[in-house]
Amino acid sequence: MKNQNPRRSQSLNSDIISTLPLNIIEDILTRMPIRDALRTSVLSKRWRYTWRGMPKLTFKDDMIAMSSDIYYMLRKCKLVHAIFHVLLLHNGPETLVFKCSVFHLHMESDIALIISYLARRTKVKKLFFSSDDRSYKLPVSFFSLQGLEFVYLYNCTFEPPLTFNGFSSLTSIRIWNVDVSAQMLQQFLSKCPQLVNLRLVGCQKVLDFVAGENKFTFGDLLQCVPLIQTLDISKYYMKVYLCAGGMPHKLPTSLVHLKNLFLNVCLVEQNEISSALCIIRSSPVLERINFLMSDNEKLPVQQTPTNFLDPEDYPDLKLDYLVKLEIENFSKLPLEMKFVKLIMAKSPLLKKVKIELNDNISVDEEMKMLKDMLRLPFLRASPCAELVIDRPLGFKKWRLRRV
């Protein structure tokens, strides 16, 4: 029997994963459910404490596996114990990402303790928090997380204390179904000087909550975020701020950094069109516009001047950097068509116009729209713009060049 090559035998028996650099191992662990990441401690001495340096901690209420007949309070206690167990043993230099999603256990008081602990012991750069109760008010300790750079909040109440001095490093915030008054939102945004990404997504209840206290306009809100690069506003937040007096022809201070604009608008309502145009007109370096049409078929079409949205009436509208226009839920209303033509007439670098049709648009109506876009003469600033028309799933997609 021939002797085996000791080097070859050693290579076959080696633990390839354990030989990886520690930062790669930690990254692998962060992609696993945290319960499984902790279980790697039993693999070997090498793995016993590896998870403790994970730069991302994600906790969900389903991480505690128990039979459905167990009283939920026991499950809640086990989850809280597990979270604090991880936090106490975690010895990473900083927690880069902290995610906590609790939808069934009503852990309001416990979350306050957890966030308070984070504010005292670690440096959280990214915080994701999701709750099942919109009436849950974020604890004051949340506003002490001074290292925050990214915040995602879902389903809670947001009220900065009077002592809040701001988040000097915060660059991105997304709030979804969050109850916040207009004044509180203004106070918060004005104290986040580095904010470049703002997403406000809400539902009808949010509108009901803030409308009675609103005393400033959408224009006032935008003045709080002078460095904004990406702006995403849902239709209900749009309506809240529009109802306070509408928008001027142009903002007093241009949004000179805004590149990506996402708006829910109703092009049946002239004030919403004017507001959208105000933002566009005040954003000289826009590269992408995405509109989600809302309520266009539910409201009666308002009477507008025949030359409304005529490119010749907008000499100050210049989109010299715009390369992409997307419109979702397109209903083929006259004002929608005019808006598309206006943008195409003002965008010399435009490369792509993508229109996703409403489910109610028939094939015949779609063909008529295509003929209108192709045959009827209207100004096109970009000779190489591509028009893509998407049908709902299962329907044909049209792609036309040089429209």
Side-chain angles (χ1 to χ4, degrees):
M1 184 175 180
K2 295 183 179 179
N3 293 329
Q4 292 184 348
N5 186 327
R7 292 184 178 178
R8 182 170 180 271
S9 177
Q10 182 179 1
S11 64
L12 290 175
N13 294 328
S14 63
D15 183 351
I16 298 177
I17 295 181
S18 295
T19 60
L20 293 172
L22 182 59
N23 64 317
I24 294 180
I25 293 177
E26 291 173 348
D27 184 65
I28 292 174
L29 293 176
T30 62
R31 300 174 188 273
M32 304 166 57
I34 194 166
R35 183 174 57 188
D36 295 336
L38 268 61
R39 287 173 175 172
T40 61
S41 295
V42 303
L43 296 179
S44 66
K45 291 183 179 179
R46 160 75 168 158
W47 284 90
R48 183 169 299 172
Y49 301 112
T50 303
W51 67 268
R52 295 172 62 181
M54 291 167 54
K56 177 180 176 182
L57 300 176
T58 301
F59 300 100
K60 298 181 179 180
D61 49 12
D62 60 357
M63 66 176 286
I64 301 298
M66 301 181 69
S67 59
S68 58
D69 58 343
I70 295 296
Y71 188 56
Y72 89 96
M73 283 299 295
L74 177 57
R75 184 178 177 189
K76 173 182 172 180
C77 291
K78 284 184 172 291
L79 177 58
V80 173
H81 179 269
I83 292 175
F84 275 106
H85 175 77
V86 172
L87 292 178
L88 288 170
L89 293 180
H90 189 269
N91 63 358
E94 56 188 20
T95 302
L96 299 181
V97 182
F98 184 84
K99 292 186 177 183
C100 187
S101 301
V102 286
F103 291 105
H104 307 291
L105 298 182
H106 306 291
M107 296 174 54
E108 291 79 6
S109 59
D110 304 295
I111 292 299
L113 292 175
I114 292 169
I115 294 180
S116 178
Y117 178 88
L118 290 173
R120 295 195 310 269
R121 298 294 183 92
T122 63
K123 183 179 180 181
V124 180
K125 290 189 176 182
K126 294 184 180 181
L127 177 69
F128 298 76
F129 175 72
S130 302
S131 170
D132 63 342
D133 184 3
R134 183 180 295 156
S135 65
Y136 171 65
K137 183 178 178 180
L138 281 175
V140 175
S141 55
F142 165 79
F143 299 96
S144 300
L145 296 170
Q146 288 300 310
L148 283 177
E149 297 177 2
F150 178 98
V151 171
Y152 173 92
L153 300 175
Y154 176 81
N155 234 29
C156 60
T157 296
F158 185 81
E159 185 176 338
L162 295 177
T163 56
F164 176 59
N165 294 320
F167 290 139
S168 59
S169 301
L170 188 67
T171 60
S172 181
I173 182 169
R174 179 169 185 175
I175 62 177
W176 191 315
N177 288 358
V178 172
D179 286 342
V180 55
S181 69
Q183 288 73 25
M184 289 298 176
L185 184 59
Q186 182 187 32
Q187 175 188 345
F188 176 81
L189 294 179
S190 63
K191 295 183 179 181
C192 300
Q194 301 302 318
L195 201 65
V196 296
N197 298 304
L198 174 62
R199 299 180 184 272
L200 303 176
V201 184
C203 63
Q204 185 66 48
K205 291 183 179 179
V206 176
L207 174 62
D208 295 340
F209 180 84
V210 301
E213 301 181 11
N214 184 30
K215 295 181 181 180
F216 72 105
T217 67
F218 198 73
D220 296 325
L221 176 69
L222 295 178
Q223 298 307 302
C224 299
V225 287
L227 301 182
I228 198 71
Q229 295 181 17
T230 297
L231 180 65
D232 185 352
I233 308 293
S234 73
K235 64 179 179 179
Y236 296 112
Y237 280 101
M238 283 283 289
K239 290 181 182 296
V240 165
Y241 297 112
L242 286 172
C243 71
M247 294 280 278
H249 175 77
K250 191 175 183 178
L251 295 176
T253 303
S254 295
L255 302 173
V256 295
H257 302 282
L258 186 62
K259 296 181 179 180
N260 306 294
L261 178 63
F262 302 84
L263 295 179
N264 284 180
V265 294
C266 176
L267 288 188
V268 172
E269 297 188 5
Q270 186 172 341
N271 61 343
E272 292 201 26
I273 305 174
S274 300
S275 298
L277 287 175
C278 172
I279 300 175
I280 293 173
R281 188 184 288 111
S282 305
S283 308
V285 297
L286 268 180
E287 297 178 2
R288 180 182 179 185
I289 297 175
N290 187 305
F291 278 5
L292 173 60
M293 300 305 180
S294 302
D295 300 328
N296 283 358
E297 296 181 337
K298 298 179 181 179
L299 299 175
V301 177
Q302 297 180 354
Q303 294 295 324
T304 57
T306 56
N307 62 343
F308 186 61
L309 296 183
D310 189 331
E312 294 182 358
D313 294 334
Y314 296 85
D316 59 338
L317 180 60
K318 298 180 180 180
L319 298 170
D320 295 335
Y321 295 88
L322 190 70
V323 295
K324 189 172 184 179
L325 170 66
E326 294 187 45
I327 300 182
E328 302 176 50
N329 201 32
F330 194 84
S331 300
K332 194 182 168 294
L333 296 176
L335 285 179
E336 290 179 324
M337 297 289 290
K338 287 185 177 182
F339 177 80
V340 172
K341 294 177 180 180
L342 173 63
I343 299 300
M344 293 179 68
K346 299 294 184 176
S347 309
L349 298 183
L350 192 64
K351 294 181 180 180
K352 187 174 183 178
V353 178
K354 182 180 178 181
I355 297 176
E356 183 178 302
L357 299 176
N358 184 288
D359 292 346
N360 297 324
I361 299 296
S362 68
V363 175
D364 290 340
E365 290 175 316
E366 179 182 353
M367 293 303 297
K368 185 178 183 300
M369 183 182 71
L370 287 170
K371 291 178 180 179
D372 181 17
M373 299 293 290
L374 288 172
R375 295 181 179 180
L376 295 182
F378 68 91
L379 181 63
R380 302 167 176 84
S382 174
C384 59
E386 177 187 25
L387 174 64
V388 176
I389 299 180
D390 274 351
R391 300 287 298 172
L393 291 177
F395 288 84
K396 188 174 181 180
K397 176 189 293 187
W398 297 93
R399 185 181 297 268
L400 301 174
R401 294 185 180 276
R402 299 182 66 83
V403 299

